[in-house]
Amino acid sequence: MSQRNEAAGQPGPRLMPLPEEQWDARTRELLAFAPHDPGNRVPNIFTTLVRHPDLYERFLPFGGQLLLKGRLPEELRELLILRTAWNTGARYEWGRHVPLARAAGVTDADIDRVTEGPDTPGWTDLQRHLIRAADELNREATMSDATWEALAEHFGDAELIEIAMLVGQYHMLAFFLNATGVELDPGFDTRRL
């Protein structure tokens, strides 16, 4: 992962977050619904994405559905997001989701294992299949029959759809974050990357 980021050679953001003094009435309205960090700070992902207000307005409900109202247990959702962040070299995504993963019950040992892959000892069978699904979706844009069937033993149709959509959505976010160079917000780190 670090080789990918180093190869990009970006010294800083290609697009800066939109400064508050440039927020018009619509921007203020859109950002009012964004999750805020302590101190009421709006995270860089949102203040950068809002430079395209129409896209931002459509993105937030979709992303929120997957993150806050999805059917997957929080712990499993965060494992999928972290593996996607690892696979795509998305430092921002990783840095923001490690604390969310911990809050959802993901252990530091599991976070370390995310960086090593599905065949690393210590995973449950379900966790192994989910990490493998994230890897296959990243590489092949699909899941193998074996992975699909293994997950289908644990999940119904809606959850299987959500797994693919979750990985795809965080893959898309990684493209945006990496291409624009969104910087990680204060108080978050990427030490494991």
Side-chain angles (χ1 to χ4, degrees):
M1 173 143 161
S2 60
Q3 290 176 341
R4 247 186 243 178
N5 287 332
E6 289 169 13
Q10 281 180 220
R14 289 178 171 153
L15 287 179
M16 296 298 294
L18 190 65
E20 190 168 357
E21 59 271 12
Q22 293 180 23
W23 296 1
D24 60 17
R26 182 176 184 209
T27 301
R28 287 187 189 288
E29 183 180 333
L30 290 171
L31 291 175
F33 294 101
H36 287 57
D37 285 341
N40 208 30
R41 186 180 182 288
V42 181
N44 290 339
I45 186 174
F46 302 120
T47 54
T48 304
L49 185 57
V50 80
R51 288 180 171 279
H52 190 319
D54 295 335
L55 185 61
Y56 176 94
E57 187 173 31
R58 302 299 188 276
F59 165 77
L60 205 57
F62 179 70
Q65 174 65 38
L66 288 169
L67 184 63
L68 304 172
K69 299 176 186 173
R71 294 183 180 209
L72 295 173
E74 290 177 71
E75 174 189 356
L76 301 181
R77 177 198 69 217
E78 290 302 323
L79 286 175
L80 284 165
I81 293 169
L82 287 177
R83 187 60 181 177
T84 301
W86 180 260
N87 284 336
T88 58
R91 290 179 180 275
Y92 188 97
E93 208 164 79
W94 180 271
R96 294 296 303 208
H97 278 273
V98 164
L100 293 174
R102 286 183 178 132
V106 178
T107 66
D108 284 340
D110 285 343
I111 292 169
D112 288 339
R113 260 192 295 282
V114 164
T115 68
E116 298 169 14
D119 296 322
T120 303
W123 290 125
T124 66
D125 284 342
L126 177 56
Q127 290 171 328
R128 178 176 291 104
H129 297 310
L130 285 167
I131 298 297
R132 185 167 286 117
D135 287 359
E136 290 173 359
L137 287 162
N138 179 65
R139 280 190 319 265
E140 311 295 332
T142 191
M143 282 184 246
S144 67
D145 289 340
T147 299
W148 179 270
E149 290 166 13
L151 291 173
E153 291 179 16
H154 299 275
F155 299 113
D157 294 348
E159 291 83 6
L160 291 167
I161 291 168
E162 191 170 307
I163 290 167
M165 294 295 283
L166 181 74
V167 171
Q169 192 261 359
Y170 278 90
H171 211 125
M172 177 186 69
L173 266 181
F175 293 164
F176 160 69
L177 293 164
N178 291 345
T180 60
V182 174
E183 290 184 325
L184 194 55
D185 306 283
F188 295 87
D189 68 63
T190 58
R191 282 182 278 184
R192 284 196 170 91
L193 294 184

